[in-house]
Amino acid sequence: MQSIDINNNQDPTAEKVTIYYFDDFAFDAQHDELKNIASNLVQKLEPQVAHLLRLFLASPDQVISKELIQQSLWPNTVVEQNSLYQILTKLRRVLNDSTKSPKCIKTVPKKGYRFIANVSTELPKPLADIIPTTKNEKSLNQPPTRWMWLLPVIIVCFSAYAFFNSDEPEIKVPLYHLEDVSYALGLEFDVDAHPHADLLAYIKDIKTLTISNKQGTVLFQQPSTYRAAKPSWQKEGKLLAYWQYREDQCDLKIITPQGAIAHNGPAISCELAQKPVWKNSKELILTIKQHGTLVPYLYRLTNNALIPLPLKLPQNSIYKGALNAWNDKTYYLLNHKDHTSSLIELSGRTVLNWDFPIWLATFDPQQQTIVSNDVSQRHGLIATRLDKTHYPIFSTAQGLFSSISIDHAGDMYTAIESWQVNIRDKDNLPIFSTSSIDYLPVSNALGETAFMSRRSGICEVYLHSENNVTRLSQHKGYEYVQFLEWRPDLSMLVSNRDMDIALYDRQGMVQQFTSALDQSIKNLGWYNADTLYAFDGKTVHLYNLQGRLLSSISLDAQLAYYNVYNSSWLILKNNQLFNLTELTNNMFFGNKLTDKQLANSVTLTNKQFNQFHNIRIKNNNLYWQSSWSKRDHIWQLNLATQQITKVAKGNLIWHFDINANEELTIAKMEALEGDIKRLTTVN
């Protein structure tokens, strides 16, 4: 067995082969398209997955070291230890391969990986007899008509096997074929298909509302100064509702397919809006995020009435959105503290349950199922019936499912997005690179950077030190990490895990305890080297390092942050930022603030104040992030002079960091790609 190592200067991906055949697949290396020959299903792989497959196919039956793979996929970039595993997992998923019984990719312990399937650059027999090809190779999208007659036989055999080998009732599982609707460069997302008419709506590159037919021919485009989001077609008529994020508000717009304004809804103070749901031709269910919480409203077009819905929520549950389902009735999706989900009626009666978080859901009128994300959260779709039986629909290694819509013919239209999240240094070079959907970098004076990376809903804490990346946490759940901060002596880190507080040293987690707060944590950090604090908008708790509650202070404010470097509290109340040496109970009720306290405050503009988050303090300068018209801004406040400066702005800035030299690094989504796809059933 030959081994490929990092010292080999030849890149195996440099081969000029166009089509590779292996197992049941044909791979078009020029277009990154993988075809399952039996089902005729074609998937366009995301770039790194395709690159890894080319690497294997160019060197079959040879051991390829992890170092060579990492250098080939991420040249001159330090990546998380888990990044290679994630790309391998995606490739194995799309190849239907198993780590326990591999048919394609075999792990060679302590050495690397070996591609064990037979690889050919010519169509092997007996497939050559079934699928005639020319010398130049026909397109992978051309259907193998002589092979397709076997498909019903395969389905019947599979159904019979399932019937005789399971105690569960037989479920007729439809097969789906994936095809492109839009494939232009850039980002297409937030797709919605008209239930009956040949109309499709989606957002192009953040600010352009696009209307096309269901084959992808563009009929109308409406660019905007403001960010557009979440189009939704009327059920019977042909009106389209969508949102515009303007300043600190969400504007509801309703237009015709030709772009004429049919209705201007109210401007609603909000942080985020979900897809409008047409209850009927004159009423919509609007889901709006206000003060950190999604709230459902009934909106009537006839009189612009916005009525809060009295949705009955179980304890420790949060509302996620609405959808129309069986008998055209509106249902409401909930996520629960134990990371399960349910679908309920307005009365609170539960209709369905899932044992994992659901965040993407719609109704399939043909199959009478709820189509949602699966347990992977973003890579797969499943269908769930009213009797609680379910079956898989489709999984992708190309990117992440971000929206889905289904028309009355049962055709599914989905947006699949891919991107890189990069942390860049002062020279704009990537320090870390990942396909994770979040990042939270926090550097220290030693040149180390701790960060959180979240994949498939799982948040993990890592430490980058001396060009090595160490994973500090070992979690398998869905707990969200939103805060991460170094101890003043740089010996430890603190983070939240949902409502819990976790402590880490440089080897791993050393302690975890409950915050004992009533609401979600708005901020936490160090009060001193031996004391922690956490704040939920109503109460500040102080704890020792063992998690024992030391004291509580009632405080009604948007944010409380302790500046351990000058021993003062930064309190955000409305548009005022106060710098206080101590806190007292209910100090903002009545006239309890002294003239000195009032004088030692800064008034923020709405743009500086809106969605104030992600605080950093370096050298007596306060940095934070805000959002205005859904555009991210990073600000600097000199605490001595009280002068405020804008230091950066842009779209899709997840997080930022300030190092000891006050150099800014940004964790930003880059290399954005998104396409609209159609999933149709294979008869």
Side-chain angles (χ1 to χ4, degrees), residues 621-633:
N621 286 313
L622 170 69
Y623 297 84
W624 74 93
Q625 197 167 330
S626 71
S627 179
W628 194 248
S629 298
K630 273 298 176 189
R631 187 170 175 83
D632 302 300
H633 296 76

Side-chain angles (χ1 to χ4, degrees), residues 438-442 450-453 459-462 479-486 493-504 515 517 519-526 532-537 558-561 612-616 655:
D438 217 340
Y439 242 171
L440 181 60
V442 184
F451 60 94
M452 178 275 288
S453 179
C459 294
E460 300 292 5
V461 175
Y462 298 83
E479 298 94 344
Y480 185 54
V481 175
Q482 193 175 1
F483 308 101
L484 189 61
E485 194 163 304
W486 284 98
L493 286 155
V494 64
S495 82
N496 74 303
R497 295 202 72 87
D498 281 352
M499 295 290 285
D500 286 352
I501 296 173
L503 292 170
Y504 313 87
S515 66
L517 292 167
Q519 302 180 59
S520 298
I521 298 175
K522 290 185 178 295
N523 202 51
L524 67 80
W526 297 91
L532 299 157
Y533 75 92
F535 173 65
D536 68 351
Q558 279 76 39
L559 186 133
Y561 182 90
F612 189 109
H613 67 288
N614 209 14
I615 294 175
R616 301 285 189 274
H655 295 286

Side-chain angles (χ1 to χ4, degrees), residues 237-251:
K238 292 185 179 180
L239 296 181
L240 180 72
Y242 70 100
W243 293 103
Q244 277 190 347
Y245 294 118
R246 180 177 58 85
E247 298 180 348
D248 58 349
Q249 298 176 329
C250 295
D251 295 343

Side-chain angles (χ1 to χ4, degrees), residues 21 23 37 120-134 137-138 144 146-147:
Y21 299 95
D23 195 43
I37 298 174
S120 174
T121 57
E122 295 181 0
L123 189 62
K125 291 182 176 294
L127 293 179
D129 295 331
I130 297 172
I131 311 173
T133 59
T134 66
E137 180 63 41
K138 294 184 179 180
R146 296 181 59 186
W147 175 255

Side-chain angles (χ1 to χ4, degrees), residues 404-468:
I404 186 167
S405 176
I406 307 176
D407 64 18
H408 274 254
D411 289 340
M412 300 183 189
Y413 296 84
T414 181
I416 299 180
E417 298 180 38
S418 63
W419 57 77
Q420 284 285 113
V421 176
N422 293 319
I423 299 179
R424 295 184 175 272
D425 64 14
K426 62 183 177 61
D427 299 317
N428 203 35
L429 298 174
I431 304 170
F432 306 116
S433 183
T434 180
S435 56
S436 169
I437 64 169
D438 217 340
Y439 242 171
L440 181 60
V442 184
S443 62
N444 64 26
L446 300 177
E448 300 172 310
T449 300
F451 60 94
M452 178 275 288
S453 179
R454 175 164 59 127
R455 286 187 176 85
S456 300
I458 300 174
C459 294
E460 300 292 5
V461 175
Y462 298 83
L463 174 64
H464 177 250
S465 178
E466 298 180 348
N467 291 325
N468 293 316

Side-chain angles (χ1 to χ4, degrees), residues 9 29 64 80 178 192 276 294 357 404 459 524 537 539 548 559 635:
N9 293 324
I64 305 178
E80 305 164 46
L178 182 72
D192 190 64
L294 288 171
I404 186 167
C459 294
L524 67 80
T539 307
R548 185 169 69 87
L559 186 133
W635 306 90

